[in-house]
């Protein structure tokens, strides 16, 4: 999710950010790769899963330790590789607030690691670490079957979710969806977030963790929070199923909106809580 307003239960696949009140243009979210062209087959697969296919990018996800993975950046802050796309089914995408059928097994304890490797440009800053602590507190304060335990270390061996910085000056972050009952294992936070408040950083952390649990952008089909018109749909909504207790209209207070503003408070909206407690 880049700098823009994110609505909550927009199931998994944290967003291209633009601010609600003050638009911010995001630069590249990942390293460039030699062949950046996205094939027609990949675009068709993305559309078949009911994702918004506008602006899909082929990117290189560089993990702490040097490993690189070619992935596709969808809706601005959702990263999925070819294997994950192939393993998802057309029925895997639902809800409004939105989610995927790919959820995390519950009840369980989820180990969250904030990366602090010595001499690494991917270390979380002090502000990012505090924002991550706040985000974990957001989730642990809910009545969920999931409990989150947070540590800051350069040991990622026990991490269910590893959260690290990308030092490229962009704003926002990116993550992916659960696989096999486990949360998506990586959250990238872009170094340009350092210029924003602790509350905005907490919002982005909370939003991206939401994706790892299977939450999509609430306005994934129109991206209204990013300044799109509220009429007409930019993506196929087939298969979208409403989560009981959440509104059918745009929820401006959701933490899972595609874009976020500089006035975010880092807290869940009312219906974010309803959606999460319904799912977990």
């Amino acid at each position: 999710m880049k700098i823009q307003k994110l609505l909550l239960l927009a199931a998994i696949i944290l967003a291209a950010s633009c601010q609600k009140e003050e638009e911010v243009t995001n630069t590249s979210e990942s390293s460039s790769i030699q062949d950046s062209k996205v094939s027609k087959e990949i675009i068709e697969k993305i559309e078949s899963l009911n994702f918004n296919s506008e602006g899909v990018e082929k990117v290189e996800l560089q993990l702490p330790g040097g490993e690189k993975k070619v992935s596709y950046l969808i809706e601005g802050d959702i990263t999925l590789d070819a294997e994950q796309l192939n393993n998802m089914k057309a029925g895997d995408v639902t809800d409004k607030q939105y989610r995927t059928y790919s959820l995390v097994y519950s009840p369980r304890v989820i180990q969250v690691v904030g990366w602090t490797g010595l001499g690494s440009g991917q270390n979380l800053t002090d502000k990012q670490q505090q924002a991550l602590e706040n985000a974990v507190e957001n989730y642990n304060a809910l009545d969920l079957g999931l409990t989150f335990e947070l540590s800051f270390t350069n040991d990622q061996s026990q991490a269910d979710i590893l959260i690290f910085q990308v030092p490229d000056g962009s704003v926002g972050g990116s993550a992916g969806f659960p696989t096999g009952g486990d949360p998506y294992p990586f959250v990238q936070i872009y170094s340009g977030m350092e210029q924003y408040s602790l509350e905005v950083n907490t919002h982005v952390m909370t939003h991206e963790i939401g994706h790892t649990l299977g939450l999509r952008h609430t306005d994934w089909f129109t991206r209204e929070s990013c300044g799109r018109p509220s009429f007409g749909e930019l993506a196929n909504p087939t298969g979208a199923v409403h989560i009981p207790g959440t509104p059918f209209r745009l929820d401006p207070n959701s933490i899972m909106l595609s874009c976020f503003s500089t006035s975010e408070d880092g807290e869940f909206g009312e219906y974010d809580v309803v959606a999460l407690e319904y799912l977990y």
Side-chain angles (χ1 to χ4, degrees):
M1 150 187 155
K2 299 179 174 185
I3 197 158
Q4 289 139 7
K5 179 112 185 164
L6 297 161
L7 211 96
L8 184 137
L9 269 176
I12 193 170
I13 250 165
L14 208 123
S17 330
C18 76
Q19 294 184 194
K20 183 179 178 183
E21 299 176 349
E22 194 181 296
E23 183 170 353
V24 174
T25 303
N26 293 293
T27 56
S28 64
E29 299 223 12
S30 289
S31 306
S32 59
I33 52 180
Q34 284 189 329
D35 181 11
S36 60
K37 184 177 180 180
V38 180
S39 70
K40 179 180 179 181
E41 290 74 19
I42 290 293
I43 292 295
E44 290 176 347
K45 180 63 175 178
I46 289 170
E47 291 176 344
S48 75
L49 294 170
N50 304 318
F51 289 123
N52 192 316
S53 62
E54 277 204 348
V56 174
E57 298 177 47
K58 188 176 182 181
V59 298
E60 192 171 66
L61 180 65
Q62 182 158 345
L63 307 177
E67 180 185 353
K68 297 180 180 180
K69 296 179 62 176
V70 174
S71 299
Y72 297 93
L73 186 66
I74 307 167
E75 299 180 17
D77 75 334
I78 299 166
T79 50
L80 296 173
D81 60 32
E83 181 179 2
Q84 289 170 315
L85 285 171
N86 287 331
N87 287 337
M88 291 184 73
K89 300 176 182 178
D92 275 359
V93 192
T94 61
D95 293 59
K96 180 186 184 116
Q97 313 250 354
Y98 292 94
R99 68 173 178 88
T100 65
Y101 279 122
S102 301
L103 296 176
V104 175
Y105 291 142
S106 173
R108 66 179 292 182
V109 175
I110 294 177
Q111 300 294 336
V112 179
V113 170
W115 181 254
T116 55
L118 297 175
S120 170
Q122 294 178 289
N123 293 344
L124 295 181
T125 66
D126 290 343
K127 182 186 290 184
Q128 290 166 350
Q129 290 182 44
Q130 183 60 61
L132 179 53
E133 289 181 0
N134 293 347
V136 168
E137 289 176 0
N138 282 343
Y139 283 98
N140 282 336
L142 302 183
D143 184 17
L144 307 180
L146 303 175
T147 301
F148 298 80
E149 292 187 353
L150 173 63
S151 60
F152 294 100
T153 178
N154 60 359
D155 179 8
Q156 56 183 294
S157 61
Q158 302 302 314
D160 294 309
I161 304 174
L162 175 65
I163 301 179
F164 57 94
Q165 182 179 214
V166 177
D168 67 353
S170 298
V171 294
S174 67
F177 299 136
T179 302
D182 294 321
Y184 186 76
F186 307 113
V187 170
Q188 298 185 102
I189 299 298
Y190 302 109
S191 59
M193 290 305 301
E194 193 67 13
Q195 63 189 301
Y196 298 102
S197 69
L198 174 61
E199 290 76 14
V200 172
N201 276 264
T202 298
H203 177 98
V204 172
M205 290 283 189
T206 305
H207 174 98
E208 299 303 335
I209 291 174
H211 282 318
T212 72
L213 304 179
L215 302 182
R216 293 195 59 178
H217 295 137
T218 328
D219 59 341
W220 66 273
F221 47 95
T222 61
R223 300 181 66 73
E224 187 176 345
S225 63
C226 304
R228 295 284 190 180
S230 59
F231 56 86
E233 294 185 343
L234 301 176
N236 182 2
T238 301
V241 177
H242 179 251
I243 292 180
T246 63
F248 287 94
R249 57 179 168 70
L250 180 76
D251 179 2
N253 298 314
S254 171
I255 210 164
M256 293 307 296
L257 287 171
S258 297
C259 292
F260 61 91
S261 74
T262 55
S263 63
E264 302 297 348
D265 61 10
E267 301 296 329
F268 287 123
E270 174 185 358
Y271 295 110
D272 293 338
V273 176
V274 170
L276 280 166
E277 293 186 348
Y278 175 83
L279 296 175
Y280 291 107

